[in-house]
Amino acid sequence: MEQTFVILKPDAVERGLIGEIIARIERKNMQITRMEMTTLEKEVVEEHYAHLKDLPFFGKIVEFMTRGPVVLLIVQGEAAIGEIRRMAGATNFEEADFGTIRGDFATSVQENLIHTSDAPETAEGEIKRFFG
Ligand code: IDP
Ligand code: MG
């Protein structure tokens, strides 16, 4: 069993897609073991996306991620990190396959509805960062 960390981003909350996305996670036989709705502070987003800080649109990403409530989840299941990432689809909605969350619902590279951890080390670090 693995644990992964998921953020349903502000656009997912604004568009009423919380239930849709959580239903997909549950249908895949993954358990939600922790869940919290909160509005993120700028500092935590800057730390979370530190790998993007040299990109020209970094400020826009931080603005987007802090503009309203998000849902933080810990998801547990067999191969959860890779499977939830596969379920999210490619970062760019135009490359995300239909059947994935981003492929089915996103029309923006930035506002792509969901964050998912990309490796065991990042999952562990992100769970600590967001849930303590
Ligand atoms: P990921 O979310 O698929 O892991 P990352 O490359 O880690 O993708 O980027 C983190 C987030 O930053 C993306 O999900 C997206 O919201 C935003 N982002 C990444 N690249 C771009 C871009 O080229 N334009 C606008 N936003 C971007
Ligand atoms: Mg990433």
Side-chain angles (χ1 to χ4, degrees):
M1 288 283 225
E2 265 178 6
Q3 282 197 327
T4 191
F5 172 71
V6 169
I7 306 176
L8 307 185
K9 296 182 180 183
D11 56 332
V13 176
E14 289 159 9
R15 291 177 56 191
L17 291 170
I18 298 171
E20 168 72 39
I21 296 171
I22 287 179
R24 288 179 180 222
I25 292 171
E26 290 185 323
R27 273 195 332 236
K28 178 65 183 177
N29 194 26
M30 301 278 159
Q31 284 75 51
I32 312 287
T33 58
R34 199 146 169 194
M35 170 156 72
E36 184 187 342
M37 181 178 267
T38 185
T39 301
L40 297 174
E41 299 291 340
K42 186 168 176 270
E43 291 67 31
V44 77
V45 174
E46 285 173 348
E47 194 183 293
H48 175 66
Y49 282 141
H51 61 291
L52 304 175
K53 72 175 186 310
D54 294 328
L55 295 178
F57 46 83
F58 184 62
K60 293 265 182 245
I61 295 175
V62 176
E63 215 173 282
F64 161 53
M65 290 297 292
T66 56
R67 81 171 178 219
V70 297
V71 178
L72 310 178
L73 304 167
I74 297 176
V75 176
Q76 182 175 297
E78 214 53 62
I81 297 166
E83 288 301 282
I84 296 297
R85 208 164 165 76
R86 212 149 65 85
M87 184 183 290
T91 307
N92 183 340
F93 69 98
E94 290 181 281
E95 286 159 18
D97 290 330
F98 281 93
T100 67
I101 292 162
R102 289 163 169 174
D104 285 350
F105 302 118
T107 53
S108 157
V109 181
Q110 177 175 278
E111 303 202 10
N112 60 2
L113 301 162
I114 183 167
H115 163 79
T116 71
S117 303
D118 58 13
E121 315 76 62
T122 43
E124 199 188 332
E126 288 171 356
I127 287 169
K128 282 212 188 82
R129 174 175 303 128
F130 287 91
F131 285 113

